[in-house]
Amino acid sequence: MENLYEEASCPQEQQALIDKKNRALRQQQIMRSRRTSVSAESITPVKRNVEKNFPPKSESEKKFIHKCVENNFLFKSLSEEQYDEVVNSMRQVQVKKDVEIIKQNGIGDYFYAVQSGAFDVYVAANGNPPEKVGSYTSGGTFGELALMYNAPRSATVVATEDSVVWALDRFTFRRILLDSANRKRDMYKDFLQYVPLLNFLNPQDRLRIADALESVSYNVGDVVISRGDIGENFYIIESGSVSIVCPDQNGAEREIAVLNKGDYFGELALINDKPRSATVVAKTPLKCATVGKQAFQRLFGPVVDIIRKNAFNYTKTTTTGAE
Ligand code: 1OR
Ligand code: 1OR
């Protein structure tokens, strides 16, 4: 585990090492699952001795890793101490061009942050050939899902050039991330049951949404969304209410709808890839739970048809319209 593929001299050799390591990991998991059930592992943070011999890194490398990691939605609620531990625990790995650092359906061993180079992401669904769904360059992070949810890898990630990444092992990742996620899941549990849209999701999907949510607060009159802006976030109202504001035929700003606790907004720009269709203003002191565009697309996929249907009904309703 420590000797992260660096002794390989060519892509084929490196790939063979990665595959061998994954086979060993699968064997370990099989042995472990004979002792503990899978569901037990998925909710219990893995307790390990905190590694004291952190891999050496310069201050600028630490700053760089910190920046990469804080952009990943799963890390948003970590304390500074937890960030430090994540950053300190990561070790540098050279990845040769064409190496599949992650294979779809494989075992989750590491989480990665890209120092330099480039990676493509492929997903093979329903027996179809793999399709490219994304890419990562310097500053990007990937490989968090299998570790977080104790699930098989959801995609294949391949280096498209010689690259350098920072790797965080599964045990450290789960110890730190699950600790913080459990607190957040408790915090959002009651609220998420209150959101009508999410009643269409299974409890596991609701958990994933809790992991991705962040709370943001506004004062009365604050503009949450400006008409015409590019859409970056989706919002669910935790408390308070908002006005949806649009110009009338004479160009005067008019309130066209009011949304309250449990309602959501900011979905149209994200599902239609269009600028914001209206301005959204806090009508009272307001608290919202929000997720970024990428997490929204990933997590709200199962209810996107309901979201589209609700949006279609906006034009027909005269009140809030969101549900
Ligand atoms: P993992 O542990 O499942 C594969 O291993 C990683 O690929 C996964 O964690 C994520 O970090 C990453 N777009 C970009 N990256 C992805 C995507 C993705 N899915 C997984 N990973 N899309 C999903 C397509 C179903 C496109 C989203 C817009
Ligand atoms: P967005 O990403 O375009 C502005 O950013 C948000 O305002 C938009 O997503 C919707 O969430 C919301 N009724 C309720 N909410 C609306 C409406 C609306 N228009 C935009 N948003 N309408 C009905 C009024 C009776 C307007 C329909 C044209």
Side-chain angles (χ1 to χ4, degrees), residues 225 244 256-257 259 264-270 275-280 314-315 317-322:
I225 282 179
I244 309 290
I256 55 166
L259 305 181
Y264 62 84
F265 60 89
E267 78 290 10
L268 293 181
L270 306 190
R276 294 297 197 187
S277 61
T279 295
V280 182
Y314 283 166
T315 43
T317 53
T318 47
T319 54
T320 68

Side-chain angles (χ1 to χ4, degrees), residues 216-230:
V216 274
S217 297
Y218 300 90
N219 296 317
V220 179
D222 281 354
V223 174
V224 184
I225 282 179
S226 292
R227 190 166 174 267
D229 278 2
I230 291 172

Side-chain angles (χ1 to χ4, degrees), residues 54-68 80 84 87-88 115 166:
F54 293 129
K57 43 186 86 71
S58 67
E59 279 312 306
S60 67
E61 285 174 332
K62 284 186 190 174
K63 262 199 196 136
F64 177 82
I65 302 171
H66 194 300
K67 233 175 140 210
C68 300
E80 265 318 301
D84 284 348
V87 169
N88 285 330
Q115 170 79 44
W166 295 96

Side-chain angles (χ1 to χ4, degrees), residues 72 102 108 110 121 123 133-136 141-147 151-157 294 297-298:
N72 188 301
I102 288 180
Y110 291 94
V121 186
V123 172
V133 296
S135 56
Y136 295 102
T141 57
F142 57 84
E144 74 288 11
L145 298 180
L147 274 56
R153 292 293 200 185
S154 62
T156 292
V157 183
Q294 228 195 9
Q297 285 170 336
R298 224 185 251 170

Side-chain angles (χ1 to χ4, degrees), residues 48-203:
R48 283 266 156 149
N49 288 334
V50 177
E51 187 180 3
K52 292 288 184 296
N53 296 325
F54 293 129
K57 43 186 86 71
S58 67
E59 279 312 306
S60 67
E61 285 174 332
K62 284 186 190 174
K63 262 199 196 136
F64 177 82
I65 302 171
H66 194 300
K67 233 175 140 210
C68 300
V69 167
E70 72 187 6
N71 285 333
N72 188 301
F73 67 86
L74 284 178
F75 289 79
K76 291 270 189 235
S77 60
L78 293 193
S79 67
E80 265 318 301
E81 258 173 23
Q82 289 172 316
Y83 265 120
D84 284 348
E85 205 190 332
V86 166
V87 169
N88 285 330
S89 305
M90 291 189 102
R91 59 185 74 239
Q92 201 177 68
V93 183
Q94 319 278 334
V95 186
K96 296 189 179 359
K97 181 176 184 291
D98 295 330
V99 164
E100 288 179 346
I101 189 168
I102 288 180
K103 279 191 177 173
Q104 188 172 351
N105 296 323
I107 301 253
D109 48 0
Y110 291 94
F111 161 75
Y112 299 99
V114 183
Q115 170 79 44
S116 62
F119 294 84
D120 281 346
V121 186
Y122 290 88
V123 172
N126 311 321
N128 294 324
E131 235 181 80
K132 186 176 158 184
V133 296
S135 56
Y136 295 102
T137 53
S138 179
T141 57
F142 57 84
E144 74 288 11
L145 298 180
L147 274 56
M148 186 74 183
Y149 301 108
N150 205 26
R153 292 293 200 185
S154 62
T156 292
V157 183
V158 56
T160 54
E161 51 187 83
D162 284 351
S163 303
V164 178
V165 296
W166 295 96
L168 179 69
D169 70 274
R170 167 190 187 87
F171 303 108
T172 311
F173 180 99
R174 283 178 67 81
R175 180 167 48 73
I176 300 173
L177 269 285
L178 286 192
D179 190 29
S180 122
N182 282 338
R183 257 179 285 125
K184 217 154 122 186
R185 288 172 186 184
D186 279 350
M187 191 171 95
Y188 283 120
K189 202 171 89 198
D190 294 340
F191 166 63
L192 291 185
Q193 278 174 355
Y194 188 89
V195 180
L197 174 72
L198 303 183
N199 289 336
F200 296 95
L201 290 172
N202 64 41

